[in-house]
Amino acid sequence: MTTALQPPPPSHPLLRLRLAPHGSMPRPIDGAWWPRSYDLLAELPGLLAGLPRAWGHITSVTVNGTTWSAVPGRMLVFNQVVRLRRTVAASAPHTIVLLAPGRGRWDLLVVAPDTTEEAAEPLMAAAASGPV
């Protein structure tokens, strides 16, 4: 008897995320995220899955309302409710804010999905290593 080989399951694209080392000093930016689109419903589960466990359960996410496509007020991610908020604050047009009660707040630089790898790499490295 022969068994047909199953094709490998589709691979999930690697999460394009760089985080600053944990330190005692607060930082204006805690790292950088380079999503593949501005569809938060499609991108957020991958981001949350790739965060350090020490960050805890992210319950609230704030994004720039003029950059991201329309989002509901909340969504279910890994059987947990996450509140989605939109802001139009001019002070942070290219960031995403993640909140975990009792654990903290993390601000990530969002590199535009259509950025070339040559342009994205230095932005992500700078966000993960020093003030942006």
Side-chain angles (χ1 to χ4, degrees), residues 28-40:
I29 292 290
D30 299 294
W33 177 43
W34 184 18
R36 288 177 167 70
S37 74
Y38 279 120
D39 180 353
L40 194 61

Side-chain angles (χ1 to χ4, degrees), residues 2 7 18 29 31 42 46 55 68 76 85 87 102-103 109 113 119 124:
T2 61
R18 295 245 185 106
I29 292 290
W55 286 20
W68 292 87
L76 194 62
R85 299 171 191 232
T87 181
R103 297 286 180 104
L109 171 73
M124 294 184 71

